């Protein structure tokens, strides 16, 4: 089955630093999303990005579907960015599959 | 506008007991989903519903049943709980059909422990 990998698994940043999170997937996918889970467990959708580049404030994401990866950029990080970042891919197969990656745990320290 | 709500927030069951997790959304979304999240892992799709009256299996459906009662509500039932079902359960909804995988809005989660 399709494999979704995320790197790095853990990341500690000083407030104000920039970072790049990566999501690799092993097969062609129809869609991809990035999510943030805050330290209290709340899940928020960040980007719906099957291809191309999108930006939302300090966050931006790029998906290169032909090369099977997506990147999430966080600029000028803040402590509220802490939490786990997941990418999730959707592919059509014998049944609809939504596969989440294992996540990148980010800690932003003041 | 409450978004996606889930009840209960916490539950402890004994092996073999049954229970139903409730989910409701007030955004007039067509699709609804149930996921489980185990420690240190991403979410895994249990079941989803593209519209009222229809349900489909996701990645890990065994041991669960679902019911899309109406457009607003999507319940998840454990008929005979097992310790392997200890997890955090998230309900989500989206405007479009699941294949579109458009923006999903999540509930706060239900933390279930099966002893």
């Amino acid at each position: 089955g399709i494999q979704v990998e995320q790197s790095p698994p853990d990341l500690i940043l000083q407030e104000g630093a920039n970072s790049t999170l990566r999501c690799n997937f092993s097969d062609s996918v129809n869609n991809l999303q990035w999510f943030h889970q805050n330290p209290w467990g709340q899940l928020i959708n960040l980007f719906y990005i099957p291809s191309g580049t999108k930006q939302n404030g300090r966050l931006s994401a790029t998906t290169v579907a032909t090369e099977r990866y997506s990147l999430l950029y966080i600029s000028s990080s803040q402590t509220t960015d802490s939490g786990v970042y997941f990418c999730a891919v959707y592919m059509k197969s014998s049944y609809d599959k939504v596969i989440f990656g294992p996540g990148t745990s980010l800690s932003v320290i003041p | 506008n409450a978004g996606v709500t889930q009840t209960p927030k916490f539950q402890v069951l004994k092996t073999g007991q049954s229970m139903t997790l409730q989910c409701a959304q007030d955004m007039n979304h067509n699709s609804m989903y149930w996921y489980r999240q185990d420690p240190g892992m991403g979410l895994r799709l249990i079941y989803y519903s593209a519209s009222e009256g229809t349900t489909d299996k996701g990645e890990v459906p065994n041991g669960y049943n679902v019911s899309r009662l109406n457009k607003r509500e999507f319940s998840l039932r454990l008929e005979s709980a097992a310790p392997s079902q200890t997890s955090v359960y998230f309900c989500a909804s989206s405007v479009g059909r699941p294949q579109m995988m458009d923006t999903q809005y999540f509930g706060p989660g239900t933390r279930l422990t099966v002893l």
Side-chain angles (χ1 to χ4, degrees), chain B residues 13-28:
Chain B
L13 294 176
K14 293 181 179 178
T15 297
Q17 287 185 316
S18 62
M19 79 160 296
T20 300
L21 281 64
Q22 306 286 354
C23 175
Q25 53 90 10
D26 62 2
M27 296 175 283
N28 202 34

Side-chain angles (χ1 to χ4, degrees), chain A:
Chain A
I2 188 170
Q3 303 293 320
V4 180
E5 298 174 346
Q6 291 186 243
S7 59
D10 300 282
L11 185 60
I12 300 175
L13 294 178
Q14 199 78 38
E15 197 169 25
N18 303 327
S19 64
T20 301
L21 282 56
R22 186 176 181 104
C23 173
N24 291 331
F25 41 97
S26 61
D27 204 345
S28 298
V29 298
N30 299 94
N31 286 311
L32 183 144
Q33 294 193 32
W34 282 96
F35 296 88
H36 176 224
Q37 186 169 37
N38 67 21
W40 297 270
Q42 184 182 15
L43 274 158
I44 301 292
N45 179 284
L46 298 174
F47 293 103
Y48 165 65
I49 185 164
S51 63
T53 298
K54 289 186 178 179
Q55 180 154 8
N56 184 3
R58 296 181 296 102
L59 301 180
S60 64
T62 296
T63 296
V64 184
T66 53
E67 297 186 22
R68 302 180 184 170
Y69 73 88
S70 183
L71 302 174
L72 178 69
Y73 306 96
I74 304 174
S75 64
S76 304
S77 59
Q78 300 176 358
T79 55
T80 52
D81 294 331
S82 296
V84 183
Y85 290 81
F86 294 102
C87 68
V89 301
Y90 169 79
M91 62 180 297
K92 287 184 188 178
S93 74
S94 56
Y95 61 91
D96 291 320
K97 284 186 175 181
V98 177
I99 307 295
F100 276 71
T104 291
S105 178
L106 173 65
S107 297
V108 181
I109 55 177

Side-chain angles (χ1 to χ4, degrees), chain B residues 19-58:
Chain B
M19 79 160 296
T20 300
L21 281 64
Q22 306 286 354
C23 175
Q25 53 90 10
D26 62 2
M27 296 175 283
N28 202 34
H29 285 173
N30 293 304
S31 298
M32 297 185 74
Y33 313 80
W34 275 106
Y35 293 92
R36 60 177 287 174
Q37 184 179 29
D38 299 316
M41 297 179 63
L43 278 70
R44 290 184 292 171
L45 183 64
I46 304 171
Y47 271 94
Y48 64 94
S49 169
S51 61
E52 182 180 346
T54 67
T55 60
D56 287 284
K57 295 178 180 179

